[in-house]
């Protein structure tokens, strides 16, 4: 018994000591991270090079969480603002002579890639050398890197040009096997998000709009690559038809898609030769994160322009965001933050950077009202990323000015409701029986029908409900864009437009990226000396540590997104179909670069 107490006591003491050591180490690491993060001093040598890692998941805004690196998650995703900001800083820093882009597998949209490409063009205009290298160029990364002065590839590498395709997935027959039928109520003949539940192939209207926008995106890619590489558009089409990803690098050299084949270990030697740096010397490199955090090129001003980043599904609460698979754009949080920006006298204008296919219709209305109130106090410029469609366009139309990229997918002015009828599953597949006692005609009505389908009167009332939502949507666009409601309806019907078409039909005011939006906001606010401030504000270090270690559901979803690819969104919609708001202002899945 004495031995038992002896070993038990020793174990308890050992656990306590281990816990104390662990806490001490954690506090040491935290202190080190905070100290490192707060040191903004960066000394650059002559002929320094900015190294851009063009791979992984690119989101609109970097979360600036220092614990991601400690937990090995730093390479999973990076912010578009981080990449573009660093390139623009490098363009204006005399010590940086070149920008080196190393391409890999990337997951983002073409409008975001266009934003990076435009930043590289600005750097070239400032006489910065731009060099790219890859073992494998995807179609998206090659589009970015084609603008480089030198495009290099591994001698056994691959370059993919194959054109664009859209392949919607249809779930009707799968759901039927389980006795589930989706009752769809919508307004807008082009509103195609619901077709996956009710059809076996594209409607003619959807085929028309998808054909138009994928051809429009491809024409932009082809035109830009042709201009940068000095290749005729016809030759680019030929390379795509010949599936150049399967061709040897001699084919790529012959067709002027690349300039040289280089092994990875020889890249530094080649860069030294271009920069006329002695072979024995090392080239000083700086990455995007380090350059952005430095005080190089930074300026402080009492006058500020806020850049508010919002991305993902539009939902009413954080809990609903977790259900949808991403934190998304949470209306009750965004409304409070926009109200605070309206009251902040130091903020002279607000740029709302949005990349979203929409979501909850009521949440979109709430944010629209906050945007309208903000606009009454100061200029509000919307900068559209890869998508700003349906509910995302709903809230955008309240802005003073709208700027989109040529390849932005926008519009989709329409609304729908998806109501699951699982009565077949319950009664026919599972053999359950139900009886009913009620006080009124529709006492047993439910948005998710478990015991019976909707009757004709209920279907009529649902359609009227959706119709009112559509009329309100069109009214909001009419008011915001100062456009007769009859004209709004001619370009509505749930139709998706490319940014270049949206400018022509009045849904947007101009083409460009976030820099153009900031410049427009400054012009509208009549300020010249200003600094930009990102919003929402980053959480403090304790919240970041908790999120990183404990997780908030997003890390798993990002892994699912990477694994499932184009199957991810249908998977999420099936998983959450009975938990999400039944009335949606949402745009269907669009092609992405992978």
């Amino acid at each position: 018994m004495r031995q038992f107490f002896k070993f038990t006591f020793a174990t308890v003491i050992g656990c306590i000591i281990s816990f104390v050591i662990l806490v001490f180490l954690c506090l040491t690491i935290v202190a080190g991270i905070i100290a490192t993060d707060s040191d903004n001093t960066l000394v650059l040598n002559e002929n320094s090079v900015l190294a851009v890692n063009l791979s992984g998941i690119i989101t609109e805004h970097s979360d600036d969480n220092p614990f991601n690196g400690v937990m090995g998650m730093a390479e999973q995703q990076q912010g578009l603002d981080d990449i573009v900001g660093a390139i623009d800083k490098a363009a204006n820093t005399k010590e940086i002579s070149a920008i080196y882009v190393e391409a890999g597998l990337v997951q983002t949209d073409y409008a975001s890639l266009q934003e990076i490409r435009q930043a590289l063009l600005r750097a070239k205009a400032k006489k910065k050398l731009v060099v790219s290298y890859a073992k494998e160029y995807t179609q998206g990364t090659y589009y970015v890197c084609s603008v480089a002065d030198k495009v290099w590839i591994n001698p056994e590498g691959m370059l993919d040009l194959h054109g664009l395709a859209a392949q919607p997935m249809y779930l009707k027959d799968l759901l039927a096997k389980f006795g589930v039928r989706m009752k769809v109520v919508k307004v807008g003949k082009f509103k195609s998000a619901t077709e996956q539940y009710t059809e076996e192939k594209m409607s003619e209207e959807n085929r028309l709009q998808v054909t138009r926008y994928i051809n429009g995106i491809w024409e932009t890619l082809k035109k830009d690559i042709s201009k940068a590489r000095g290749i005729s558009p016809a030759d680019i089409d030929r390379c795509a038809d010949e599936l150049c990803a399967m061709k040897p690098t001699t084919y790529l050299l012959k067709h002027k898609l690349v300039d040289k084949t280089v092994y990875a270990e020889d890249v530094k030697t080649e860069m030294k030769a271009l920069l006329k740096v002695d072979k024995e010397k090392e080239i000083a490199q700086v990455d995007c994160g380090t350059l952005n955090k430095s005080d190089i090129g930074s300026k402080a001003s009492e006058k500020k322009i806020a850049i508010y980043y919002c991305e993902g599904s539009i939902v009413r609460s954080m809990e609903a965001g977790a259900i949808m698979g991403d934190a998304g754009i949470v209306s009750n949080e965004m409304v409070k933050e926009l109200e605070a920006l309206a009251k902040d006298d130091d903020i002279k204008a607000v740029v709302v950077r949005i990349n979203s296919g929409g979501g909850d219709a009521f949440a979109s209305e709430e944010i629209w009202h906050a945007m309208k109130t903000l606009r009454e106090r100061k200029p509000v410029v919307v900068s559209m990323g890869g998508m700003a469609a349906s509910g995302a366009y709903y809230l955008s139309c309240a802005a003073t000015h709208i700027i989109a990229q040529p390849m932005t997918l926008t519009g989709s002015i329409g609304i729908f409701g998806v109501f699951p009828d699982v009565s077949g599953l319950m009664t026919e597949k599972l053999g359950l029986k139900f009886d009913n006692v009620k006080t009124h005609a529709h006492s047993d009505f439910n948005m998710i029908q478990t015991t019976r389908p909707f009757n004709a009167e209920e279907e009529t009332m649902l359609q009227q409900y959706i119709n009112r939502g559509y009329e309100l949507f069109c009214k909001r666009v009419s008011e915001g864009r100062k456009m007769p409601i009859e004209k709004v309806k001619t370009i509505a019907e749930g139709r998706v437009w490319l940014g270049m078409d949206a400018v022509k039909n009045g849904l947007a005011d101009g083409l460009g990226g976030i820099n153009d939006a900031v410049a427009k906001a400054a012009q509208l606010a009549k300020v010249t000396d200003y600094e930009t401030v990102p919003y929402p504000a980053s959480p403090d270090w304790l919240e970041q540590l908790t999120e990183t270690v404990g997780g908030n559901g997003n890390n798993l979803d990002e892994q699912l997104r990477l694994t499932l690819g184009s199957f991810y969104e249908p998977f999420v919609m099936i998983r959450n179909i009975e938990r999400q708001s039944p009335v949606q202002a949402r745009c269907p899945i669009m092609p992405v670069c992978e």
Side-chain angles (χ1 to χ4, degrees):
M1 183 61 71
R2 184 178 298 174
Q3 288 292 101
F4 170 77
F5 283 116
K6 177 181 177 182
F7 285 120
T8 302
F9 181 74
T11 301
V12 171
I13 293 299
C15 289
I16 292 172
I17 293 172
S18 298
F19 177 75
V20 171
I21 292 173
L22 181 62
V23 170
F24 175 76
L25 288 174
C26 286
L27 290 175
T28 303
I29 292 171
V30 168
I33 289 172
I34 293 172
T36 303
D37 202 44
S38 61
D39 184 6
N40 297 326
T41 304
L42 177 65
V43 179
L44 294 172
N45 300 325
E46 187 181 1
N47 281 331
S48 292
V49 174
L50 171 66
V52 178
N53 175 23
L54 191 60
S55 64
I57 301 169
I58 298 178
T59 58
E60 283 295 329
H61 180 50
S62 55
D63 63 5
D64 197 26
N65 187 340
F67 297 103
N68 282 346
V70 178
M71 300 301 292
M73 295 187 291
E75 300 302 317
Q76 288 185 10
Q77 67 179 48
Q78 53 185 322
L80 178 65
D81 61 329
D82 217 19
I83 298 171
V84 172
I87 293 172
D88 283 332
K89 258 195 175 186
N92 295 301
T93 303
K94 65 179 182 178
E95 291 85 2
I96 296 178
S97 300
I99 298 171
Y100 170 70
V101 182
E102 185 161 319
L105 298 177
V106 68
Q107 183 172 313
T108 187
D109 52 76
Y110 280 108
S112 295
L113 294 176
Q114 190 171 36
E115 192 105 15
I116 298 170
R117 196 176 191 274
Q118 289 167 346
L120 291 173
L121 282 170
R122 291 193 293 271
K124 286 182 67 175
K126 296 287 183 70
K127 307 302 181 185
K128 303 298 180 182
L129 174 70
V130 178
V131 177
S132 76
Y133 177 78
K135 296 174 182 177
E136 296 180 12
Y137 284 103
T138 65
Q139 186 165 269
T141 57
Y142 181 69
Y143 170 64
V144 175
C145 295
S146 63
V147 79
D149 297 291
K150 302 292 180 182
V151 180
W152 298 337
I153 193 170
N154 185 282
E156 298 303 320
M158 177 190 295
L159 190 154
D160 190 10
L161 276 179
H162 58 271
L164 295 174
Q167 296 177 312
M169 183 186 300
Y170 298 92
L171 310 172
K172 184 182 75 169
D173 291 346
L174 171 64
L175 295 172
K177 292 181 186 296
F178 295 94
V180 177
R181 186 176 72 92
M182 306 303 294
K183 177 59 185 174
V184 169
V185 185
K186 68 173 185 174
V187 181
K189 60 186 178 182
F190 289 95
K191 199 68 178 175
S192 58
T194 60
E195 289 183 3
Q196 59 185 314
Y197 304 122
T198 60
E199 308 299 327
E200 297 177 356
K201 62 179 182 179
M202 286 183 179
S203 64
E204 289 305 311
E205 291 83 2
N206 192 32
R207 189 176 299 278
L208 173 67
Q209 72 174 349
V210 172
T211 299
R212 182 176 179 84
Y213 72 64
I214 66 171
N215 282 334
I217 292 173
W218 175 250
E219 288 301 314
T220 300
L221 298 179
K222 184 170 62 174
K223 179 189 71 175
D224 290 348
I225 294 171
S226 171
K227 182 178 179 181
R229 298 297 303 168
I231 311 170
S232 72
D235 283 342
I236 294 173
D237 278 326
R238 188 178 302 111
C239 290
D241 281 331
E242 292 176 353
L243 205 58
C244 67
M246 301 291 105
K247 303 294 184 182
T249 51
T250 52
Y251 174 95
L252 306 178
L253 289 164
K254 177 183 175 183
H255 288 84
K256 299 194 293 183
L257 293 170
V258 300
D259 297 300
K260 195 172 188 176
T261 59
V262 181
Y263 283 105
E265 57 266 29
D266 297 326
V267 168
K268 284 187 178 180
T269 302
E270 295 289 339
M271 284 293 294
K272 287 177 183 179
L274 287 174
L275 295 173
K276 299 178 181 179
V277 174
D278 189 277
K279 291 182 180 180
E280 303 303 318
K281 291 184 178 180
E282 286 296 318
I283 296 178
Q285 291 188 46
V286 61
D287 60 45
C288 292
T290 303
L291 184 58
N292 277 323
K293 290 175 184 176
S294 73
D295 54 10
I296 292 176
S298 299
K299 63 177 183 178
S301 173
E302 292 182 357
K303 300 174 183 178
K304 297 175 174 56
I305 293 178
I307 304 177
Y308 189 96
Y309 293 91
C310 46
E311 181 175 21
S313 298
I314 300 173
V315 294
R316 300 187 199 185
S317 64
M318 187 63 74
E319 292 75 19
I323 287 171
M324 285 305 299
D326 61 54
I329 302 167
V330 184
S331 64
N332 58 16
E333 292 188 0
M334 186 169 175
V335 166
K336 291 177 184 176
E337 287 155 351
L338 293 181
E339 288 174 349
L341 288 173
K343 295 174 183 176
D344 190 336
D345 292 334
D346 290 337
I347 302 295
K348 303 304 178 184
V350 178
V351 172
V352 177
R353 173 68 178 192
I354 187 163
N355 193 344
S356 169
D360 187 300
F362 184 78
S364 302
E365 163 71 13
E366 288 185 304
I367 300 172
W368 169 87
H369 185 265
M371 290 276 286
K372 180 174 177 290
T373 303
L374 177 61
R375 174 184 176 174
E376 292 168 355
R377 296 286 298 271
K378 58 194 66 175
V380 181
V381 178
V382 163
S383 171
M384 294 181 170
M387 290 183 74
S390 202
Y393 187 79
Y394 193 125
L395 65 92
S396 297
C397 70
T400 314
H401 196 86
I402 296 175
I403 293 178
Q405 285 284 14
M407 293 190 283
T408 296
L409 297 169
T410 188
S412 192
I413 301 166
I415 192 170
F416 65 87
V418 179
F419 307 93
D421 176 4
V422 298
S423 59
L425 169 65
M426 296 296 186
T427 58
E428 296 172 18
K429 302 294 182 180
L430 300 180
L432 298 174
K433 305 298 181 185
F434 297 92
D435 207 341
N436 196 13
V437 177
K438 58 185 181 180
T439 60
H440 294 79
H442 305 291
S443 294
D444 58 344
F445 172 85
N446 197 301
M447 292 296 188
I448 302 171
Q449 290 294 79
T450 56
T451 61
R452 64 168 179 82
F454 296 117
N455 60 42
E457 186 179 3
E458 288 165 345
E459 289 185 2
T460 299
M461 289 189 288
L462 286 172
Q463 186 65 62
Q464 291 171 345
Y465 178 52
I466 298 299
N467 289 349
R468 288 197 302 273
Y470 179 68
E471 291 298 324
L472 182 61
F473 195 163
C474 290
K475 180 184 176 184
R476 297 307 189 212
V477 175
S478 174
E479 292 171 351
R481 301 303 301 163
K482 296 180 174 58
M483 185 187 300
I485 198 161
E486 293 77 16
K487 183 181 178 182
V488 172
K489 290 184 176 180
T490 64
I491 55 177
E493 293 281 354
R495 185 163 184 173
V496 178
W497 301 93
L498 284 174
M500 62 183 82
D501 295 320
V503 172
K504 295 174 185 176
N505 63 31
L507 292 178
D509 297 297
L511 296 175
I514 194 162
N515 283 21
D516 301 291
V518 170
K520 184 64 180 180
Q523 177 191 343
L524 292 170
K526 299 178 181 179
V527 295
T528 54
D529 179 29
Y530 61 88
E531 66 172 307
T532 58
V533 185
Y535 284 84
S538 298
D540 60 38
W541 68 267
L542 185 57
E543 290 175 310
Q544 291 176 334
L545 178 61
T546 304
E547 282 187 6
T548 304
V549 177
N552 55 8
N554 293 342
N555 293 334
L556 176 58
D557 277 296
E558 290 300 343
Q559 294 305 314
L560 278 172
R561 190 184 294 274
L562 283 170
T563 303
L564 296 176
S566 60
F567 297 103
Y568 172 79
E569 190 161 338
F571 165 78
V572 169
M573 292 190 77
I574 292 172
R575 181 185 70 179
N576 305 312
I577 206 159
E578 67 176 62
R579 292 179 288 177
Q580 69 182 21
S581 172
V583 181
Q584 297 281 305
R586 182 183 295 278
C587 197
I589 309 157
M590 302 298 176
V592 295
C593 312
E594 295 180 347

